[in-house]
Amino acid sequence: MQVHTNVSLKDFNTFGLDAKALYYAELQSTEQLHDFRKQKEWRDFPLLVLGGGSNLLFTEDFRGFVLRIATKGIEVVKETADSVYVKAMAGEGWENFVEYCVAQNWGGIENLTLIPGNLGTSPMQNIGAYGVELKDTFHSLEAWEIETGAIHTFYKADCRFGYRESVFKMEAKNKYIILSVCFRLTKNNHQILTGYGAVKEQLQLMGIESPGIKDVMTAIQHIRRTKLPDPKKLGNAGSFFKNPVIDEKKYQELSREFVAIPSWKTEAGGVKIPAAWLIERAGWKGYREGDAGVHQQQALVLVNYGKATGEEILSLSGKIQASVAELFGVHLEPEVNIAGKS
Ligand code: EPU
């Protein structure tokens, strides 16, 4: 394993921020973890395990060891009449994996098309879109315990998945490196989920009456491309905040004052409201301050028009939080991981 010093991470985070890593190495194979254990720099400095860098905001240089996971490979580990268990290495691109599975006619993750990032980080925040969450098809993952070097298997219950949550954002945070993830997908009788947002309308526009998984993927790709900025063209990390969940009493209060407020009941008895709506109503949609801005088509996405620093994006996010709190009395929690903020 080659360890480099003072490496720019600009190409390794989708905000395109030019933060530097004091030490930087890439993990090409699981075997290289033995090598990694022998490097002493990561024991003396903070360690940052980097996947696709699609959910990360660097507010300053990272004065530690960045280990970028670059392992590849997809394999079928088990098959039954109806299901296939597919295991993929953590460094696979998520979209590459989705398209590979859809091409094999394996169903269950087609609604999660075009989510940026790597497969290995997808369980950390239980990625979700268009009525589907990663947990719905997740079977298990293998993770390397940093302290001991032991490999552990985590099954679904061990991961404690929630809305953009998992054990890897709680007790297990910074303790494991996810090596591979195994999904259970359908081989036939696919569950076609078109109920969320504009998916049904888009399929109608495409002239498709009884869609298959490939049609659903194509429709969602079309919707996402029109609403969400492509990180290759405009730096961003998808949704910057989570959609807040408030209690019924607070919701009643808000809906008296703001009649049009959209909402969904959660299983736990709360009410989820779209952060994008709150941000738009507070007047931030399309706002720009230097090169940091709020996307014109989706108010939940903060963008880097080119030369914004992480600090500037963080400062803009703070202003949005303050204004939403003042206007609606609702706290917006960042969904993006902020590196460098102590
Ligand atoms: N809305 C606005 N203004 C906007 C955009 C949306 O008022 O600029 C309102 C509309 O009422 C709309 C509602 O917000 O109906 C929901 O919007 P949308 O369907 O675009 O979804 P979202 O709640 O803003 C979530 C995920 C996205 C995911 C979409 C689609 C979170 C934090 N975000 O966004 O995930 O793609 O649903 O399923 O849950 C991500 O995590 O990075 C991400 C992009």
Side-chain angles (χ1 to χ4, degrees), residues 130 163-164 224 227 239 243 274 277 280 285 298-299 335:
Y130 301 98
Y163 168 59
R164 296 298 193 274
R224 287 188 74 104
K227 279 204 321 199
S239 303
N243 285 330
W277 188 90
E280 182 170 347
K285 192 169 180 173
Q298 225 303 1
E335 199 237 278

Side-chain angles (χ1 to χ4, degrees), residues 10-319:
K10 193 171 177 12
D11 292 340
F12 304 133
N13 71 95
T14 59
F15 260 124
L17 298 166
D18 193 11
K20 289 194 178 50
L22 185 56
Y23 297 104
Y24 173 88
E26 287 184 358
L27 188 78
Q28 305 283 354
S29 71
T30 305
E31 290 68 44
Q32 279 185 324
L33 284 170
H34 299 296
D35 241 21
F36 173 66
R37 273 185 84 72
K38 290 187 204 134
Q39 311 291 332
K40 49 178 202 16
E41 292 85 351
W42 71 267
R43 291 197 181 274
D44 299 335
F45 290 91
L47 172 69
L48 178 73
V49 180
L50 193 61
S54 61
N55 206 33
L56 191 59
L57 179 76
F58 286 107
T59 55
E60 56 189 23
D61 288 343
F62 187 72
R63 301 203 53 77
F65 195 111
V66 171
L67 181 67
R68 193 170 80 88
I69 308 301
T71 51
K72 302 269 187 236
I74 302 176
E75 61 170 322
V76 172
V77 289
K78 185 175 150 186
E79 242 178 291
T80 65
D82 301 317
S83 310
V84 57
Y85 293 72
V86 195
K87 173 178 154 179
M89 299 305 288
E92 279 291 342
W94 173 257
E95 178 62 9
N96 187 42
F97 180 66
V98 172
E99 291 191 13
Y100 178 85
C101 293
V102 171
Q104 313 299 313
N105 194 31
W106 298 334
I109 52 172
E110 57 281 355
N111 289 40
L112 304 181
T113 185
L114 282 188
I115 295 185
N118 279 4
L119 181 128
T121 36
S122 61
M124 296 187 73
Q125 58 152 354
N126 180 28
I127 58 171
Y130 301 98
V132 172
E133 285 185 328
L134 176 116
K135 71 171 171 56
D136 304 335
T137 50
F138 176 92
H139 175 264
S140 58
L141 63 78
E142 284 184 323
W144 190 76
E145 191 177 4
I146 296 170
E147 195 51 42
T148 62
I151 293 180
H152 297 273
T153 302
F154 286 74
Y155 293 96
K156 199 188 273 189
D158 305 321
C159 295
R160 313 228 318 265
F161 290 124
Y163 168 59
R164 296 298 193 274
E165 278 298 347
S166 78
V167 74
F168 300 101
K169 286 176 89 176
M170 300 181 279
E171 306 89 275
K173 191 173 177 174
N174 298 333
K175 294 202 173 106
Y176 294 91
I177 296 178
I178 295 174
L179 300 176
S180 65
V181 187
C182 180
F183 295 85
R184 182 184 172 181
L185 304 175
T186 49
K187 294 203 305 191
N188 37 54
N189 298 323
H190 303 306
Q191 220 192 336
I192 304 291
L193 294 168
T194 59
Y196 185 99
V199 182
K200 223 174 253 154
E201 289 82 340
Q202 180 58 35
L203 284 161
Q204 266 160 18
L205 282 176
M206 286 159 51
I208 295 168
E209 273 178 28
S210 39
I213 56 173
K214 190 161 189 294
D215 302 317
V216 174
M217 180 174 83
T218 308
I220 291 177
Q221 287 178 338
H222 186 274
I223 300 171
R224 287 188 74 104
R225 285 196 174 111
T226 51
K227 279 204 321 199
L228 295 168
D230 177 355
K232 288 194 191 87
K233 296 184 189 134
L234 185 60
N236 76 91
S239 303
F240 194 90
F241 300 103
K242 289 186 192 179
N243 285 330
V245 177
I246 55 176
D247 61 29
E248 185 63 35
K249 187 167 161 276
K250 173 77 190 162
Y251 170 70
Q252 292 302 337
E253 242 172 72
L254 276 180
S255 60
R256 268 195 296 277
E257 197 175 343
F258 305 97
V259 179
I261 193 165
S263 64
W264 297 271
K265 291 233 184 304
T266 69
E267 280 164 24
V271 183
K272 193 188 269 185
I273 40 184
W277 188 90
L278 300 173
I279 298 169
E280 182 170 347
R281 280 297 295 254
W284 294 96
K285 192 169 180 173
Y287 177 84
R288 179 169 175 173
E289 199 171 76
D291 269 357
V294 179
H295 188 50
Q296 289 177 344
Q297 273 81 45
Q298 225 303 1
L300 194 48
V301 179
L302 301 193
V303 294
N304 175 8
Y305 283 102
K307 292 206 162 50
T309 62
E311 273 298 339
E312 285 163 351
I313 293 168
L314 186 66
S315 151
L316 173 60
S317 79
K319 290 178 190 169

